Structure formats: C-alpha cells, structure tokens
Amino acid sequence: STRTLEDAKYALACVGCGTARDLEYVSDHLVKNKKRIALVDLSPELLSVAKRRVHDLGLANLVDFFNADCTDLKQIQTLIGNCAFVTCSYCLTMIPDWKLAVENLTKMISPGGYLGIVDFTTRFNREHDLIEKLYKAWFRLDGVYFDRNHVNHLSDSTTPYFYMEARSRVPYTPYYPTHYVYVGQKPTQQQQRSSAAK
C-alpha cells in the first residue's frame, strides 16, 4: 500500500471509547479543524451515552461510531490503515487477547501515524513487591489484569516516541497503583526501508 498519513480518513480513533469522555479535552481543536473521529466500543449502551456526549460537544457531524470488538479484524476492517492517531485508554488490561488487540490497533494506523495507550501496569522492576501483588489481586477482581509485558510489547510493535509511568490514586480508594502513558509511531514505508537497509 502507498497510503500516507495525509490519506487517513480519521484524525483520531478512540478504541474502547466508553462514554467518549476523552473527547471533551480535544473537542474545540477537532471542531475548529473539522477533523473526523472514529469511536469504537464493544458496548452499545456505552456508545449510546457517547452519542449524546458527541452531540452536546457539537461533534455529531464529525464522528462515526463502531460497535465492534478490536480483536476481530472483520469488525474494524474499514478502519485499517485509515487512522492518524489511535488511542486506547484503560482497556488493554481488560482484553484477554491483548497482543491481538495491539496488533489490530497498529493495523488501524496509517503509516507515520501514532498509537497512544494509557493504562495500569506493575512498577518497573518491582513486580514482585507485596504492594504490587496486592494491586494486581485487587484489580483482578474487576477483570483488570496488570501485566508488565504490555509495555514491553508496545515498544516492539511501534517506534517509541513518549513514555511515562507514575503512581496515582484510584478515586474513592486508598490505592496508588502505577499507570503509564505510551505513544509510539508506526513507521512509514520509507522508514521501514531505511531500517532494513542498516
């Protein structure tokens, strides 16, 4: 394929978008620049709330909704290679086949585009500490699985651009688990050729 970042139909695709709260932070920019957005979620109930929020933000004419499972390539086929920036906030830890999810999210990105992930993990080199084991066990009760391999796999799947991790409090609890922010770039064909030639 000779597609470029400029060919991407969607400036932003939020996978596991939930109620689309993330859009509140960038809605002014998206409206001003008339950039198209794809919102993807498994739950039709959450998407219905997202639709109301999108309407209230004045984005209704810019957003396409996809009731889809990101681990099923057929369900997200129209998004493949069509997104400049793909995000996934606090849901990778809830996807059993997370490696396939990362693979498909990467396929959604146009060459030269970016993948942004925010989620929980175990603290670097502290996976076996008692407090880390406590956090893993507590979150597992809600179907959230901490796995340091997520972070390592992301840097293998895209070219790392930005990474940060820190402890922060989970509201209404005394817990301070580690969360991370990862941004990686999908290489362009030229970058891939240059890398292969080295």
Side-chain angles (χ1 to χ4, degrees):
S1 171
T2 57
R3 290 183 64 81
T4 66
L5 195 57
E6 289 71 29
D7 295 322
K9 178 177 180 179
Y10 298 102
L12 176 66
C14 300
V15 178
C17 67
T19 62
R21 186 170 181 272
D22 291 355
L23 288 189
E24 292 181 352
Y25 300 100
V26 292
S27 61
D28 290 345
H29 172 77
L30 293 166
V31 169
K32 179 182 176 183
N33 292 283
K34 295 183 170 45
K35 299 297 185 182
R36 294 205 65 76
I37 309 130
L39 296 183
V40 185
D41 204 281
L42 262 178
S43 167
E45 292 79 16
L46 290 176
L47 281 177
S48 69
V49 177
K51 286 176 182 176
R52 290 198 295 274
R53 175 170 272 136
V54 162
H55 178 269
D56 292 343
L57 290 171
L59 295 171
N61 62 328
L62 296 175
V63 177
D64 292 330
F65 297 89
F66 297 84
N67 184 196
D69 179 350
C70 69
T71 63
D72 186 338
L73 207 55
K74 290 180 182 177
Q75 294 186 27
I76 57 169
Q77 192 62 47
T78 58
L79 296 172
I80 300 304
N82 243 337
C83 309
F85 197 166
V86 174
T87 65
C88 186
S89 300
Y90 294 105
C91 59
L92 197 60
T93 46
M94 294 188 283
I95 301 174
D97 197 345
W98 60 268
K99 284 187 178 180
L100 180 57
V102 171
E103 181 181 324
N104 287 351
L105 294 181
T106 306
K107 286 178 179 176
M108 288 169 57
I109 307 168
S110 293
Y114 293 87
L115 173 66
I117 305 286
V118 180
D119 216 323
F120 295 109
T121 190
T122 52
R123 199 150 184 82
F124 180 63
N125 279 343
R126 305 292 288 275
E127 295 97 318
H128 303 295
D129 287 5
L130 182 60
I131 190 67
E132 294 296 334
K133 290 180 178 178
L134 169 65
Y135 290 150
K136 284 182 76 170
W138 187 72
F139 274 81
R140 193 164 49 234
L141 296 174
D142 284 327
V144 177
Y145 296 89
F146 288 18
D147 189 340
R148 188 74 201 181
N149 289 321
H150 289 191
V151 175
N152 301 331
H153 188 71
L154 287 169
S155 62
D156 290 338
S157 302
T158 55
T159 303
Y161 179 80
F162 175 83
Y163 182 77
M164 181 206 75
E165 67 176 59
R167 291 194 187 280
S168 64
R169 186 178 178 188
V170 175
Y172 314 113
T173 78
Y175 298 134
Y176 284 79
T178 298
H179 71 271
Y180 69 90
V181 178
Y182 174 86
V183 179
Q185 185 180 30
K186 181 175 182 175
T188 62
Q189 290 182 331
Q190 183 177 357
Q191 288 169 330
Q192 289 174 332
R193 286 194 295 269
S194 298
S195 178
K198 290 179 181 177

